[in-house]
Amino acid sequence: MKNPISTWLRVCQLLLVCFPLASVAKAPPPAMKPVPITSQERASIKDFNPLGECAQPFVEPKQSFRLQQKGAPLDGALLISMKCQDNRGVVAFGFYRNGKLEQALPTHPANTWSVEEIQAIAFPDVNGDGRFELLTIVSAITGMGPTGTEPFNVAAVWFQSADGKWAADPRADKALEQVRQPDVKKAVAALKKAYAKK
């Protein structure tokens, strides 16, 4: 008669071979898919003015998205990009759900100058935590001196916590400050390099 303990150990060994622990670990959420907002969704954004007293707030439809990521906290939320078109020349970004603002994102560094245009938005994972970041590229002008009307790009990135909230990170800010005329490709490369360091 076989030893029951050795038989049990052999079964356990086979199970680990056939069903490795990685297969029972929690799978990462599916990739996030940004979908451009519809005209109806854009029209529903009536009270989003985190810029304060802006006489002419404008929701940028080409840079505003409905987020699709099944099982993730931000699934179905609207990312709204807004520019103040009066003489303030600033931008703001926020997440909307069911007609209400859930979170206004931190102030974009391009607001230090006069904003020209929201150039691009991307959703990379630069620190490898399995959650996407929100990367924004905004062009601005200084309005002063002989080159005051020449636009330059300013990048900013915000990081998502497990509950879907957002914050800036000084490490990322420092990395982006070193990128000359950033675009999405340059900014993502600089951020990944910064977070690859111990």
Side-chain angles (χ1 to χ4, degrees):
M1 180 177 178
K2 292 185 178 179
N3 185 333
I5 294 177
S6 63
T7 302
W8 179 81
L9 289 173
R10 179 65 181 146
V11 169
C12 289
Q13 185 181 24
L14 288 171
L15 285 173
L16 287 174
V17 171
C18 297
F19 303 101
L21 292 177
S23 68
V24 296
K26 187 176 180 183
M32 197 282 298
K33 180 182 178 184
V35 178
I37 62 171
T38 65
S39 56
Q40 290 84 1
E41 287 169 331
R42 183 182 175 197
S44 72
I45 308 302
K46 300 186 184 303
D47 62 336
F48 179 41
N49 194 350
L51 301 172
E53 297 300 320
C54 177
Q56 297 177 344
F58 174 74
V59 173
E60 176 51 73
K62 292 182 180 178
Q63 303 295 351
S64 296
F65 303 92
R66 182 178 355 99
L67 306 184
Q68 295 181 345
Q69 189 179 29
K70 189 174 181 181
L74 286 164
D75 183 43
L78 300 181
L79 167 63
I80 299 300
S81 303
M82 189 192 75
K83 182 183 175 189
C84 189
Q85 297 192 122
D86 58 18
N87 58 3
R88 296 185 63 198
V90 292
V91 291
F93 302 88
F95 286 96
Y96 243 78
R97 194 187 298 275
N98 299 325
K100 295 182 179 179
L101 179 65
E102 280 193 343
Q103 184 182 2
L105 294 174
T107 301
H108 199 285
N111 287 354
T112 303
W113 302 281
S114 180
V115 166
E116 287 283 288
E117 186 179 357
I118 302 169
Q119 295 282 343
I121 289 178
F123 305 91
D125 176 10
V126 298
N127 60 0
D129 66 356
R131 293 187 290 270
F132 67 85
E133 279 72 64
L134 174 57
L135 173 65
T136 58
I137 309 291
V138 174
S139 63
I141 60 172
T142 65
M144 298 179 290
T147 60
T149 58
E150 293 180 12
F152 55 92
N153 287 353
V154 183
V157 66
W158 298 293
F159 291 80
Q160 181 188 175
S161 64
D163 61 357
K165 300 302 180 184
W166 298 84
D169 184 344
R171 184 179 186 182
D173 295 342
K174 185 176 179 180
L176 290 176
E177 285 171 4
Q178 307 303 314
V179 183
R180 184 176 174 82
Q181 274 298 89
D183 55 21
V184 169
K185 186 177 179 179
K186 289 181 184 177
V188 168
L191 290 166
K192 285 190 173 182
K193 182 177 178 181
Y195 284 91
K197 297 177 181 177
K198 298 294 182 184

